[in-house]
Amino acid sequence: MDSGSVHEAVIKSWDEDVLSSLSGLVEIPALSPAYDADWERNGHLRAAADHMRDWIASRGLPGAQCEVVQLDGHAPLLLADVPATAGATARGTVVLYGHLDKQPPLGDWSDGLGPWQAVLRDGRLYGRGAVDDGYSGYAATTALTAIQAAGGRHARAVLLLETGEESGSPDLPAYLEHLSDRLGEVSLVVCLDGGGGDYERMWLTESLRGVVQATVTVRVLETSAHSGLASGIVPSSFRVMRQLLDRVEDPVTGEVTVPEMNVPIPEERRAEAEALAALEPGAAERRYRLVEGMRAASDDDVELILNNTWRPTLSVIGAAGLPDPAVAGAVLRASTSLRLSFRTPPTVDAEVARAALVKTLTSEVPYGAQVEVGDFLLLNGWQAPVTAPWLAAALEEIGDQVFGEPCRRIGIGGGIPFMEMLSRRYPNAQFVVTGALGADSNMHVPDEWLNIEFAEQVTEAVAHILDAHARD
């Protein structure tokens, strides 16, 4: 395959075809089902899938079939099936994965920007879903067309774009079962929902943490009471909640103390953390806009990286029963509810962790208060298999020819549910989890943006990986 031709085809496609269509996708308010109870009636998820389907169909890939699949009661999924090129039919199926659903706007965007407004500015495309990860379907399709334009090869490629990733991918197991016969023997998975620490090199996700989320409610009264009359007699629900939180997290260090949520850190992962820390000292802390005087959880870069990738952490991400301070009256509230989100190490069993959490929070509750733990979201983590020689060689070539810097491996503190599902179903497949996300891309928060040049390089890298896979 001619590398120069691949580069030219990728740049041409992004300039002439991708950016205009991706901008249209950004403008569709395709909120993930968890954030839009009326998603089916509103039709935005289906509109996003149809928009992407029509664009892929217009690319002219020989023999390609593209359809929106929608099982009853499930958010739609876009499937594009591209036949193998000559000489690559025996290499099985490549699954190229991304998602079309989006996070909510989440706050005020900067002047001139908005979540459903595509804005091109200084080599960036702003808008919700631009980098997380509406670009992925365009990158995957463009990589396939570039391969064919440059005389390269690729195995049968199946592009799967779901519409529930931001909700924890609850519908994916049903779709994988429904499509299992059509997928065939999957030998390579390329996920474009990842990224890394900068825009200078290709980043490969080596591991992903899992998730255990639950809503915990502490109830002390049938109805709320005047705080002046009831305090000192009735323990506050918040004080009971605070004691329960101290059971699962050290309030000083932040260490999660539930044994079932902790694992030994593999030595090779510690070595990777040390290499990453040495690459750019202080980067882990600089990525986030700490308020003046605030310090990170540790002064040791390696420990910060391991905290974020191989240790469990707790974030309180929601609350109920607490009025706004401006309208808070003198009331001892009947109950307090908190939404707890534990990020768990890659090898922790989410169901085992859930059971341990419930037992810890509901046993011997202070003062006999009522405690409810429910509304669970459980996701297992994932770690990549050993890299095959053909893939290692391709990655080295990509570092030299596409980025001019060696590829780097990184653990990610977040999760991609599809990876764990596919690794269980296809244990012999190779996995490449990469993408255009950067630490400052503002995914999930206001002013989300895509680095266009970096996305083009990622597209080019995917083309080289698919060609190398077809020739192995």
Side-chain angles (χ1 to χ4, degrees), residues 22-104:
L22 177 54
S23 295
L25 184 65
V26 164
E27 293 171 358
I28 300 173
L31 290 178
S32 197
Y35 308 104
D36 182 5
D38 294 325
W39 63 266
E40 191 160 18
R41 181 167 59 86
N42 290 333
H44 300 310
L45 292 175
R46 181 58 189 245
D50 288 345
H51 179 91
M52 192 76 233
R53 177 201 59 200
D54 293 346
W55 185 85
I56 295 174
S58 73
R59 297 302 89 201
L61 285 163
Q65 297 180 346
C66 193
E67 63 177 302
V68 177
V69 182
Q70 185 159 8
L71 301 176
D72 289 343
H74 297 288
L77 176 142
L78 176 61
L79 182 148
D81 191 337
V82 182
T85 58
T89 55
R91 292 295 291 128
T93 300
V94 176
V95 170
L96 297 145
Y97 168 81
H99 65 89
L100 297 167
D101 58 314
K102 306 176 185 181
Q103 286 277 324

Side-chain angles (χ1 to χ4, degrees), residues 209-213 256 261 307-308 311-315 341-345 379 413-416 444:
R209 286 195 295 183
V211 174
V212 176
Q213 284 188 14
V256 172
M261 292 187 183
N307 285 349
N308 185 243
R311 294 190 181 114
T313 54
L314 169 61
S315 300
S341 179
F342 292 88
R343 292 288 178 170
T344 55
L379 302 173
I416 305 173
H444 293 204

Side-chain angles (χ1 to χ4, degrees), residues 25-339:
L25 184 65
V26 164
E27 293 171 358
I28 300 173
L31 290 178
S32 197
Y35 308 104
D36 182 5
D38 294 325
W39 63 266
E40 191 160 18
R41 181 167 59 86
N42 290 333
H44 300 310
L45 292 175
R46 181 58 189 245
D50 288 345
H51 179 91
M52 192 76 233
R53 177 201 59 200
D54 293 346
W55 185 85
I56 295 174
S58 73
R59 297 302 89 201
L61 285 163
Q65 297 180 346
C66 193
E67 63 177 302
V68 177
V69 182
Q70 185 159 8
L71 301 176
D72 289 343
H74 297 288
L77 176 142
L78 176 61
L79 182 148
D81 191 337
V82 182
T85 58
T89 55
R91 292 295 291 128
T93 300
V94 176
V95 170
L96 297 145
Y97 168 81
H99 65 89
L100 297 167
D101 58 314
K102 306 176 185 181
Q103 286 277 324
L106 294 176
D108 295 329
W109 290 51
S110 298
D111 290 344
L113 302 178
W116 320 126
Q117 177 184 358
V119 175
L120 284 167
R121 183 185 296 171
D122 300 326
R124 301 177 175 188
L125 175 63
Y126 288 89
R128 178 62 83 225
V131 71
D132 187 21
D133 70 350
Y135 85 94
S136 62
Y138 294 96
T141 305
T142 299
L144 291 168
T145 58
I147 289 170
Q148 296 193 9
R153 298 180 186 178
H154 63 76
R156 178 193 177 216
V158 175
L159 177 58
L160 293 179
L161 299 177
E162 65 158 318
T163 58
E165 193 275 342
E166 301 292 5
S167 301
S169 300
D171 298 332
L172 267 183
Y175 280 114
L176 283 179
E177 186 64 31
H178 178 69
L179 298 170
S180 59
D181 290 342
R182 294 177 64 177
L183 291 180
E185 187 58 37
V186 176
S187 56
L188 173 63
V189 176
V190 178
C191 170
L192 292 171
D193 195 23
D198 59 31
Y199 305 104
E200 305 299 323
R201 71 205 79 232
M202 185 177 184
W203 292 90
L204 301 161
T205 299
E206 193 72 18
S207 63
L208 297 160
R209 286 195 295 183
V211 174
V212 176
Q213 284 188 14
T215 299
V216 181
T217 299
V218 174
R219 193 175 305 278
V220 298
L221 289 167
E222 294 294 338
T223 59
S224 299
H226 189 297
S227 61
L229 300 178
S231 61
I233 298 173
V234 180
S236 104
S237 60
F238 192 88
R239 178 153 62 94
V240 176
M241 179 71 79
R242 188 170 59 194
Q243 292 180 62
L244 294 179
L245 291 179
D246 287 351
R247 292 181 176 185
V248 299
E249 180 194 44
D250 186 307
V252 176
T253 66
E255 177 187 357
V256 172
T257 55
V258 181
E260 291 81 356
M261 292 187 183
N262 286 272
V263 299
I265 299 175
E267 285 303 317
E268 61 270 26
R269 301 303 179 231
R270 183 175 290 276
E272 289 169 1
E274 292 171 352
L276 184 61
L279 179 66
E280 190 179 356
E285 181 175 351
R286 286 197 302 272
R287 289 174 189 151
Y288 305 98
R289 297 166 64 182
L290 301 180
V291 297
E292 186 176 354
M294 178 71 183
R295 300 187 305 275
S298 172
D299 295 328
D300 187 325
D301 286 351
V302 175
E303 293 306 304
L304 290 177
I305 293 169
L306 293 175
N307 285 349
N308 185 243
T309 56
W310 276 89
R311 294 190 181 114
T313 54
L314 169 61
S315 300
V316 178
I317 61 174
L322 296 165
D324 188 277
V327 296
V331 175
L332 195 152
R333 296 172 297 100
S335 66
T336 298
S337 296
L338 296 181
R339 182 69 173 167

Side-chain angles (χ1 to χ4, degrees), residues 6-27:
V6 171
H7 177 77
E8 291 174 6
V10 167
I11 299 301
K12 185 174 186 291
S13 182
W14 269 88
D15 287 347
E16 298 181 2
D17 304 311
V18 171
L19 284 175
S20 59
S21 183
L22 177 54
S23 295
L25 184 65
V26 164
E27 293 171 358

